[in-house]
Every structure is written in C-alpha cells, then in structure tokens.
Amino acid sequence: MSLEHAVLGFLNYEPMTGYELKKMIDISISHFWPAVQSQIYKTLFRMEADGWLSVETISQETRPPRKVYTITDKGRVEFFGWLETPQPQGETRIVWLIQLFFAGQMEDEKILTLLRTLLDGYQQRLRAFNEIPEENRETMKEDDPRDQFFWMLTADFGVAQTIAYVEWLSKVIHAIEKHDYTLPTLGSHSK
Amino acid sequence: MSLEHAVLGFLNYEPMTGYELKKMIDISISHFWPAVQSQIYKTLFRMEADGWLSVETISQETRPPRKVYTITDKGRVEFFGWLETPQPQGETRIVWLIQLFFAGQMEDEKILTLLRTLLDGYQQRLRAFNEIPEENRETMKEDDPRDQFFWMLTADFGVAQTIAYVEWLSKVIHAIEKHDYTLPTLGSHSK
DNA sequence: AAATTCATGTAATAAGTTACATGATTCC
DNA sequence: GGAATCATGTAACTTATTACATGAATTT
C-alpha cells in the first residue's frame, strides 16, 4: 500500500502523531493521494505491528494521550527500498468521462451545461493551486531547498494536469457549441 | 457507484451478457474506468435485484448458460437521471508522485532513472492510444455518428492527458539533468 | 454562543482486486 | 499440443469512505 510509504516518508523527516500526519498529508500530497483520518489511524496501527514504526504514548491531562510515531530501522529500509522501485502509472477514475461517453443520448444544451460546470470547477481548482505556494512558503522556509524543489514539483504537476483538463474541456465545449462533430483525430496533437 | 451507470449505458444500446459487457468495457471506458470480471458479475447481480435489469437465461449444451441482461424502465429512468447530474471531478491517484514528493532523499541519477522509465511508459501508452481508432473504426462503422463522436472524445481525452504527462516529465527530467532546481513558478504556465 | 483545534478511536459499508474453479471448442 | 475464446461463478482480501463517539480548551 502506498499510504504506508507516504507515512514512512513523513516520519523519516520527524516523529509525529496521527493527527499531525493527517494535517501534513492534507497540505501536501492529498491532491494526488488523499487519506481520511480513520484510514491513517488504522494504517499506523498496522505499521507499528509490522515493526516499521515505534510508538511513544504521552499522557495529557485534558486530552487523549498523544501517540508519537517514530520510524524504525526496519521502516527506513522498507522506505528507501520502495523509494527507488519503479511504480505503476497511476489510475485516473473520472466519472464524468463515463457521462461523456454516453452523451450521444443527451441534448447538446444539457451536455454543454455539464461541461461548463466542469470547466468552472477545474478553473477554480487552478486558482486554488496558485494560492498554495503563498500559504506554504512560510512553513517551508527553513527546510532543505532540494526537498522544497520536489515538494513544489508535485504541486506543479497538479497545475499542469489541471491546465490540460481546462484546455481540453474548452476545446470540446467550443466544438459542441459550433455543432462541429468532426471526429477528433487522435494523432494530430501539436507538439 | 459509477460502474452501475456505465452498465446501464451499455445495456441501453442493447441487451448483453456479463462476458460481453466485460469486453465492451475493455475496449471503451477501461482507460478511465476499468472493471475486472468478478466485479461486473457482482454488479449485475445487484442491479437485477434492484430492478434496474432483467435477466433471460439461455441454456447451452456445452457451456454455462448465457445470462442476457436487459435494462428495465426503472433502470432507464435511473440512467437518464444520472446522465444529466453533475458528477465530481475525478480522482487521480499517482503513486510515483509520492515518490517524487520524497525524492529529495534520493540521488539525482536514481530519480532520473525512475522518471525516464515513467516517460517511456507514457510514450508507449500514447502510441497505444493512436492505434485504438484503427482497431475500432470497423466495429463502429454502422453506429450513430453522434455517438461515435462522443466515444472518440473520451479517447481524445486520454491522449491529451498522456501528452500533458509526457511533456511535464520531459520538462522535469531536463531540469534535473541540468541540476536546475529553480522552484517551478506555479502561475507562469504559458497557455 | 458557536466554531475550530486538539486527539483518539470504532463500526459499518462500499468498491475493487486477486485468485480459484470448471470445461468444451476452436484457432494457431 | 497449447493458447485463446466462451461463460459462469465464489471467496478472501485490501483499500477507502462514512459516520459515530468523546470532550476540554481556545479562538472568533
């Protein structure tokens, strides 16, 4: 499982609780690998049982005890082995492409409404991406600049992908608006 | 679940068996919504119980009986309701982006090896996409040209997305080759 | 006064994958 | 002779989501 290795990666920077991990994931890798709280806790439990992590439970008066997880040597070996192992191409599951596949059965106006809503959503997403660096630049100030480069790269990927979606949706919307049902010629993409 | 609605969409063209559905899915929507055989059979069973499909079992001498599924009125209502309902932006789960996120801990050469393997894979995928239309054009010859347009659109999306990945990976590879760790400026993407 | 933060967890459900099982027929 | 096609299914497992539960302290 990949969440496990993401957790190892984070804990290799510094020990953390599940709660803190959740926050880290949300502001970093969640746009290509989201994780909900319950899954993180379950994963940490399993990883500790597997000897990849050790736990230190620190009692608090008013709150539940903090369970601080630390990566073990075994975990570190696992992590670095994984880190240089080629991983499969990711999966893209896009429900609205199923809709589009069957859109021949819909009126143009209804299709256009759907597509415009999608375009709008992705444009918003693009704006959200551009606000990420402002928010995080402060947080990362003191970290290794080479680390920072790779962190930013993944955000840059998100931007590139979203731009591709926006451009593609615009193209399709214009084609349908002009009732131009010329079959897209798959090979003829410029560049 | 979306597989259910994809099944409704296919059965709205014509009644089919699970086996035939599997083949249809493989040559059409599998690149953005794959489905394994066991899942299709399970889904068909559930959908029939829900009254979205009806079954006709046709015995055969040597083989298991063909179970031909037909969409019901209830299923058709469900399908067309779903078809015009806005769906969420898809999810992209890409393991190698987790690797890249933590790549600060790896040597440049190892990162480059990973990235070149990925680039190669996506370029192959691109070539595979360009061979799709040749294969399917015959199969689709007699179908509604408006349907055909939307079918090809989803393949075109696959191409566009893969090109975006290829270009992005090339960019990153070149940057690392030149040891240019300038932080990507997220807002500055040309068009 | 209400919402957010901190901090843990469980239970139920859904969705998807892997692997197994059967077995004749037809194509290479 | 071996692989692919046709055609069904089950069982175990993994991964992820949703929803519930608790409860003080702090911020808005």
Side-chain angles (χ1 to χ4, degrees), chain A residues 1 4-5 8 46-54 70-76 78:
Chain A
M1 207 199 10
E4 289 177 352
H5 294 98
L8 289 175
R46 193 178 350 113
M47 290 172 75
E48 201 253 317
D50 290 347
W52 292 2
L53 307 179
S54 65
T70 305
I71 190 168
T72 61
D73 287 340
K74 193 178 169 191
R76 215 168 269 116
E78 172 62 34

mmCIF file of all heavy atoms in Angstrom, chain A residues 1 4-5 8 46-54 70-76 78:
data_model
loop_
_atom_site.group_PDB
_atom_site.id
_atom_site.type_symbol
_atom_site.label_atom_id
_atom_site.label_comp_id
_atom_site.label_asym_id
_atom_site.label_seq_id
_atom_site.Cartn_x
_atom_site.Cartn_y
_atom_site.Cartn_z
ATOM 1 N N MET A 1 0.832 -1.206 0.000
ATOM 2 C CA MET A 1 0.000 0.000 0.000
ATOM 3 C C MET A 1 0.864 1.252 0.000
ATOM 4 O O MET A 1 1.903 1.282 0.633
ATOM 5 C CB MET A 1 -0.907 0.012 1.230
ATOM 6 C CG MET A 1 -2.165 0.816 0.961
ATOM 7 S SD MET A 1 -3.071 1.374 2.391
ATOM 8 C CE MET A 1 -2.036 1.029 3.753
ATOM 9 N N GLU A 4 1.101 3.747 3.315
ATOM 10 C CA GLU A 4 2.130 3.334 4.254
ATOM 11 C C GLU A 4 3.472 3.989 3.948
ATOM 12 O O GLU A 4 4.161 4.464 4.851
ATOM 13 C CB GLU A 4 2.318 1.814 4.191
ATOM 14 C CG GLU A 4 1.153 1.051 4.789
ATOM 15 C CD GLU A 4 1.317 -0.449 4.647
ATOM 16 O OE1 GLU A 4 2.261 -0.893 3.958
ATOM 17 O OE2 GLU A 4 0.488 -1.174 5.216
ATOM 18 N N HIS A 5 3.816 4.003 2.662
ATOM 19 C CA HIS A 5 5.120 4.537 2.305
ATOM 20 C C HIS A 5 5.154 6.049 2.400
ATOM 21 O O HIS A 5 6.181 6.634 2.734
ATOM 22 C CB HIS A 5 5.529 4.029 0.921
ATOM 23 C CG HIS A 5 5.759 2.550 0.928
ATOM 24 N ND1 HIS A 5 4.810 1.651 0.512
ATOM 25 C CD2 HIS A 5 6.800 1.808 1.373
ATOM 26 C CE1 HIS A 5 5.274 0.419 0.678
ATOM 27 N NE2 HIS A 5 6.483 0.481 1.201
ATOM 28 N N LEU A 8 5.785 6.593 6.012
ATOM 29 C CA LEU A 8 7.212 6.400 6.291
ATOM 30 C C LEU A 8 8.006 7.631 5.868
ATOM 31 O O LEU A 8 8.895 8.087 6.589
ATOM 32 C CB LEU A 8 7.734 5.164 5.546
ATOM 33 C CG LEU A 8 7.255 3.798 6.065
ATOM 34 C CD1 LEU A 8 7.751 2.679 5.154
ATOM 35 C CD2 LEU A 8 7.713 3.561 7.500
ATOM 36 N N ARG A 46 -1.299 -0.791 12.018
ATOM 37 C CA ARG A 46 -0.750 -1.934 11.294
ATOM 38 C C ARG A 46 0.769 -1.815 11.123
ATOM 39 O O ARG A 46 1.523 -2.776 11.276
ATOM 40 C CB ARG A 46 -1.428 -2.039 9.922
ATOM 41 C CG ARG A 46 -1.159 -3.346 9.232
ATOM 42 C CD ARG A 46 -1.884 -3.476 7.891
ATOM 43 N NE ARG A 46 -2.849 -2.439 7.637
ATOM 44 C CZ ARG A 46 -2.721 -1.530 6.680
ATOM 45 N NH1 ARG A 46 -1.654 -1.524 5.913
ATOM 46 N NH2 ARG A 46 -3.668 -0.626 6.489
ATOM 47 N N MET A 47 1.220 -0.602 10.832
ATOM 48 C CA MET A 47 2.640 -0.392 10.593
ATOM 49 C C MET A 47 3.459 -0.626 11.862
ATOM 50 O O MET A 47 4.588 -1.109 11.800
ATOM 51 C CB MET A 47 2.874 1.021 10.052
ATOM 52 C CG MET A 47 2.350 1.222 8.646
ATOM 53 S SD MET A 47 2.430 2.956 8.130
ATOM 54 C CE MET A 47 4.190 3.136 7.829
ATOM 55 N N GLU A 48 2.853 -0.268 12.975
ATOM 56 C CA GLU A 48 3.561 -0.483 14.234
ATOM 57 C C GLU A 48 3.657 -1.982 14.515
ATOM 58 O O GLU A 48 4.700 -2.479 14.918
ATOM 59 C CB GLU A 48 2.822 0.234 15.374
ATOM 60 C CG GLU A 48 3.716 0.512 16.581
ATOM 61 C CD GLU A 48 3.399 -0.393 17.735
ATOM 62 O OE1 GLU A 48 2.200 -0.606 18.003
ATOM 63 O OE2 GLU A 48 4.343 -0.894 18.390
ATOM 64 N N ALA A 49 2.560 -2.692 14.234
ATOM 65 C CA ALA A 49 2.548 -4.143 14.409
ATOM 66 C C ALA A 49 3.590 -4.801 13.500
ATOM 67 O O ALA A 49 4.198 -5.809 13.862
ATOM 68 C CB ALA A 49 1.151 -4.689 14.105
ATOM 69 N N ASP A 50 3.810 -4.210 12.335
ATOM 70 C CA ASP A 50 4.780 -4.758 11.384
ATOM 71 C C ASP A 50 6.222 -4.377 11.736
ATOM 72 O O ASP A 50 7.161 -4.782 11.049
ATOM 73 C CB ASP A 50 4.470 -4.268 9.964
ATOM 74 C CG ASP A 50 3.192 -4.896 9.405
ATOM 75 O OD1 ASP A 50 2.704 -5.871 10.002
ATOM 76 O OD2 ASP A 50 2.693 -4.399 8.376
ATOM 77 N N GLY A 51 6.379 -3.548 12.745
ATOM 78 C CA GLY A 51 7.721 -3.164 13.169
ATOM 79 C C GLY A 51 8.346 -2.051 12.337
ATOM 80 O O GLY A 51 9.539 -1.800 12.418
ATOM 81 N N TRP A 52 7.531 -1.373 11.552
ATOM 82 C CA TRP A 52 8.054 -0.269 10.745
ATOM 83 C C TRP A 52 8.100 1.028 11.555
ATOM 84 O O TRP A 52 8.822 1.959 11.225
ATOM 85 C CB TRP A 52 7.196 -0.036 9.496
ATOM 86 C CG TRP A 52 7.284 -1.146 8.496
ATOM 87 C CD1 TRP A 52 8.003 -2.303 8.614
ATOM 88 C CD2 TRP A 52 6.651 -1.217 7.219
ATOM 89 N NE1 TRP A 52 7.839 -3.075 7.490
ATOM 90 C CE2 TRP A 52 7.023 -2.437 6.620
ATOM 91 C CE3 TRP A 52 5.801 -0.355 6.517
ATOM 92 C CZ2 TRP A 52 6.567 -2.822 5.357
ATOM 93 C CZ3 TRP A 52 5.349 -0.731 5.257
ATOM 94 C CH2 TRP A 52 5.727 -1.949 4.688
ATOM 95 N N LEU A 53 7.289 1.060 12.605
ATOM 96 C CA LEU A 53 7.218 2.245 13.452
ATOM 97 C C LEU A 53 7.291 1.822 14.916
ATOM 98 O O LEU A 53 6.944 0.698 15.257
ATOM 99 C CB LEU A 53 5.883 2.981 13.250
ATOM 100 C CG LEU A 53 5.458 3.366 11.833
ATOM 101 C CD1 LEU A 53 4.103 4.053 11.890
ATOM 102 C CD2 LEU A 53 6.501 4.252 11.180
ATOM 103 N N SER A 54 7.728 2.760 15.752
ATOM 104 C CA SER A 54 7.584 2.557 17.192
ATOM 105 C C SER A 54 6.727 3.694 17.731
ATOM 106 O O SER A 54 6.671 4.769 17.139
ATOM 107 C CB SER A 54 8.955 2.540 17.867
ATOM 108 O OG SER A 54 9.571 3.806 17.745
ATOM 109 N N THR A 70 7.476 6.949 15.561
ATOM 110 C CA THR A 70 8.835 7.145 15.059
ATOM 111 C C THR A 70 9.167 6.018 14.087
ATOM 112 O O THR A 70 8.821 4.862 14.351
ATOM 113 C CB THR A 70 9.842 7.128 16.225
ATOM 114 O OG1 THR A 70 9.445 8.106 17.192
ATOM 115 C CG2 THR A 70 11.264 7.432 15.741
ATOM 116 N N ILE A 71 9.826 6.350 12.992
ATOM 117 C CA ILE A 71 10.211 5.311 12.032
ATOM 118 C C ILE A 71 11.340 4.464 12.621
ATOM 119 O O ILE A 71 12.245 4.990 13.278
ATOM 120 C CB ILE A 71 10.617 5.939 10.671
ATOM 121 C CG1 ILE A 71 10.773 4.866 9.595
ATOM 122 C CG2 ILE A 71 11.876 6.785 10.811
ATOM 123 C CD1 ILE A 71 10.893 5.439 8.178
ATOM 124 N N THR A 72 11.271 3.158 12.419
ATOM 125 C CA THR A 72 12.316 2.261 12.909
ATOM 126 C C THR A 72 13.327 2.002 11.785
ATOM 127 O O THR A 72 13.116 2.405 10.637
ATOM 128 C CB THR A 72 11.728 0.902 13.327
ATOM 129 O OG1 THR A 72 11.116 0.306 12.176
ATOM 130 C CG2 THR A 72 10.701 1.068 14.425
ATOM 131 N N ASP A 73 14.416 1.310 12.118
ATOM 132 C CA ASP A 73 15.397 0.959 11.090
ATOM 133 C C ASP A 73 14.750 0.115 10.008
ATOM 134 O O ASP A 73 14.972 0.318 8.815
ATOM 135 C CB ASP A 73 16.569 0.186 11.721
ATOM 136 C CG ASP A 73 17.464 1.114 12.545
ATOM 137 O OD1 ASP A 73 17.392 2.347 12.309
ATOM 138 O OD2 ASP A 73 18.202 0.620 13.410
ATOM 139 N N LYS A 74 13.920 -0.833 10.460
ATOM 140 C CA LYS A 74 13.220 -1.694 9.521
ATOM 141 C C LYS A 74 12.343 -0.859 8.580
ATOM 142 O O LYS A 74 12.294 -1.103 7.374
ATOM 143 C CB LYS A 74 12.343 -2.689 10.303
ATOM 144 C CG LYS A 74 11.801 -3.823 9.466
ATOM 145 C CD LYS A 74 10.983 -4.790 10.314
ATOM 146 C CE LYS A 74 10.223 -5.773 9.436
ATOM 147 N NZ LYS A 74 9.220 -6.542 10.209
ATOM 148 N N GLY A 75 11.680 0.124 9.158
ATOM 149 C CA GLY A 75 10.835 1.013 8.359
ATOM 150 C C GLY A 75 11.646 1.815 7.364
ATOM 151 O O GLY A 75 11.239 2.017 6.221
ATOM 152 N N ARG A 76 12.827 2.241 7.798
ATOM 153 C CA ARG A 76 13.686 3.059 6.940
ATOM 154 C C ARG A 76 14.183 2.236 5.744
ATOM 155 O O ARG A 76 14.207 2.719 4.618
ATOM 156 C CB ARG A 76 14.858 3.610 7.758
ATOM 157 C CG ARG A 76 15.268 5.002 7.320
ATOM 158 C CD ARG A 76 16.221 5.654 8.296
ATOM 159 N NE ARG A 76 15.546 6.442 9.318
ATOM 160 C CZ ARG A 76 15.558 6.187 10.618
ATOM 161 N NH1 ARG A 76 16.226 5.147 11.073
ATOM 162 N NH2 ARG A 76 14.917 6.965 11.461
ATOM 163 N N GLU A 78 12.671 -0.342 4.461
ATOM 164 C CA GLU A 78 11.495 -0.511 3.616
ATOM 165 C C GLU A 78 11.262 0.742 2.755
ATOM 166 O O GLU A 78 11.035 0.652 1.548
ATOM 167 C CB GLU A 78 10.271 -0.782 4.492
ATOM 168 C CG GLU A 78 8.944 -0.787 3.766
ATOM 169 C CD GLU A 78 8.825 -1.869 2.704
ATOM 170 O OE1 GLU A 78 9.401 -2.957 2.904
ATOM 171 O OE2 GLU A 78 8.160 -1.626 1.665
#
